[in-house]
């Protein structure tokens, strides 16, 4: 099994029983790796709101961690990074980026005149790459939906212009999702409508140039960081301790589990140790591939795990 095939297998572990992953073709990982070449200016968009019992809404824990890991990997690779989110997720991203990617710039989408903001944001930054990760996308009916098919327009600041505007400036558009209602997932419309509950209602209308799907969207923060690691020769994934601290900070900033609505260190109902096991698998795969490609001489990194399963220093 090649590196790309194994990474696809790791990403497609359906630990949450979402039902979509088994029906999909292989993730376009080779194409994504090629597209990441010359990623000079990267615009990242995230933020999925959750409505609480008191009627308020806050961003979920799936999105901020993955986006912060992307921002960390891209800035370490020399790219300029602009992260955009809306009011409900802004404090989560601010804390996540402060910890993982302090060089990245964070901007908040205003509640009004969002079209003006999007156009100004894209034209001034002129991104080479646009990546949305766990960001709601509009369905065929023109509305945003949660996984139950409920319309959530009142909770979402409309950012639907971003992909088209980014493409207008020549940017490659990449979208990450795990359920079918995320921006850019229209590329898998047939599979989403056939295999996801409420799929016909929630499937997003727009299609990214490259759409990446995983059991939890955050995981592609590690997956894309692994691809950048192979390009640069530098290990760019977080350690398990860093990932643990990152999620802790997101929760302290107000983040909630999108499925349970609880302010605990879980993502999509899955406990932290499950996510760390996936990170461990990606890390182990990356280190083996770097050694195979003769890249281990370029970096020196010690990866430690809570269980002590892996402790490796490259020389």
């Amino acid at each position: 099994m090649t590196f790309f095939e194994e990474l696809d297998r790791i990403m497609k572990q359906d630990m949450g029983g979402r039902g979509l992953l088994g029906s999909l073709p292989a993730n376009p990982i080779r194409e994504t790796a090629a597209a990441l070449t010359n990623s000079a200016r990267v615009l990242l968009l995230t933020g999925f709101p959750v409505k609480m019992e008191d009627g308020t809404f806050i961003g979920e824990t799936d999105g901020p961690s993955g986006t912060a890991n992307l921002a960390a990997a891209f800035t370490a690779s020399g790219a300029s990074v602009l992260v955009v989110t809306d009011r409900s997720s802004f404090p989560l991203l601010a804390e996540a980026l402060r910890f993982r990617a302090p060089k990245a710039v964070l901007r908040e989408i205003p509640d009004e005149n969002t079209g003006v903001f999007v156009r100004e944001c894209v034209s001034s930054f002129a991104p080479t790459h646009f990546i949305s990760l766990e960001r709601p996308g509009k369905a065929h009916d023109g509305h945003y939906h949660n996984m139950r098919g409920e319309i959530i327009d009142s909770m979402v600041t409309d950012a639907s212009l971003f992909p088209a505007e980014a493409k207008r400036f020549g940017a490659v558009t990449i979208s990450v999702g795990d359920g079918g209602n995320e921006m850019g997932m229209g590329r898998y419309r047939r599979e989403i409508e056939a295999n996801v509950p409420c799929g016909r209602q929630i499937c997003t209308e727009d299609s990214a140039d490259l759409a990446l799907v995983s059991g939890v969207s955050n995981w592609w923060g590690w997956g894309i960081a692994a691809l950048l690691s192979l390009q640069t020769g530098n290990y760019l994934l977080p350690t398990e301790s860093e990932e643990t601290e990152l999620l802790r900070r997101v929760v302290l900033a107000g983040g909630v589990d999108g499925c349970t609505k609880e302010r605990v260190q879980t993502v999509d109902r899955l406990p932290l140790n499950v996510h760390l096991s996936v990170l461990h698998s990606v890390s182990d795969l990356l280190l083996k591939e770097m050694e195979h490609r003769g890249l281990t001489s370029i970096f020196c990194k010690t990866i430690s795990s809570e269980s002590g399963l892996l402790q490796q220093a490259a020389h």
Side-chain angles (χ1 to χ4, degrees), residues 99-204:
F99 176 62
R100 280 290 288 147
K103 292 182 180 180
V105 175
L106 175 63
R107 294 188 66 182
E108 181 179 338
I109 309 169
D111 293 332
E112 298 180 354
N113 299 318
T114 55
V116 174
F117 170 83
V118 171
R119 292 185 180 92
E120 181 276 327
C121 190
V122 174
S123 63
S124 61
F125 188 63
T128 57
H129 295 72
F130 169 79
I131 304 177
S132 61
L133 187 151
E134 192 63 15
R135 178 69 192 184
K138 282 186 177 179
H140 182 68
D141 63 4
H143 294 291
Y144 294 102
H145 296 265
N146 61 21
M147 291 302 294
R148 294 179 295 278
E150 299 165 344
I151 294 175
I152 58 172
D153 294 359
S154 63
M155 300 162 55
V156 181
T157 305
D158 188 4
S160 59
L161 281 177
F162 265 113
E165 284 297 303
K167 285 184 180 182
R168 198 164 67 86
F169 277 81
V172 176
T173 62
I174 301 171
S175 287
V176 177
D178 57 25
N181 58 341
E182 300 89 1
M183 179 177 284
M185 291 295 111
R187 184 160 297 281
Y188 299 124
R189 173 173 299 280
R190 183 179 64 181
E191 292 85 356
I192 292 168
E193 290 185 348
N195 297 284
V196 175
C198 306
R200 291 184 181 276
Q201 292 172 269
I202 71 173
C203 182
T204 49

Side-chain angles (χ1 to χ4, degrees), residues 165-288:
E165 284 297 303
K167 285 184 180 182
R168 198 164 67 86
F169 277 81
V172 176
T173 62
I174 301 171
S175 287
V176 177
D178 57 25
N181 58 341
E182 300 89 1
M183 179 177 284
M185 291 295 111
R187 184 160 297 281
Y188 299 124
R189 173 173 299 280
R190 183 179 64 181
E191 292 85 356
I192 292 168
E193 290 185 348
N195 297 284
V196 175
C198 306
R200 291 184 181 276
Q201 292 172 269
I202 71 173
C203 182
T204 49
E205 184 70 7
D206 66 318
S207 298
D209 294 330
L210 296 161
L212 301 172
V213 183
S214 50
V216 175
S217 295
N218 272 346
W219 298 351
W220 270 114
W222 310 323
I224 292 176
L227 299 181
L228 290 171
S229 296
L230 294 179
Q231 288 188 4
T232 64
N234 294 311
Y235 181 93
L236 300 175
L237 273 66
T239 64
E240 293 181 20
S241 294
E242 287 172 332
E243 187 67 26
T244 299
E245 177 64 10
L246 178 58
L247 182 57
R248 187 186 76 86
R249 292 184 179 222
V250 168
V251 172
L252 282 178
V256 299
D257 186 299
C259 295
T260 67
K261 300 186 180 182
E262 295 179 357
R263 194 161 291 169
V264 293
Q265 293 184 51
T266 63
V267 183
D268 288 354
R269 284 198 182 94
L270 301 176
L272 177 60
N273 68 300
V274 171
H275 299 286
L276 293 181
S277 72
V278 177
L279 171 58
H280 178 88
S281 295
V282 177
S283 175
D284 191 40
L285 175 67
L286 171 61
L287 288 169
K288 290 177 180 177

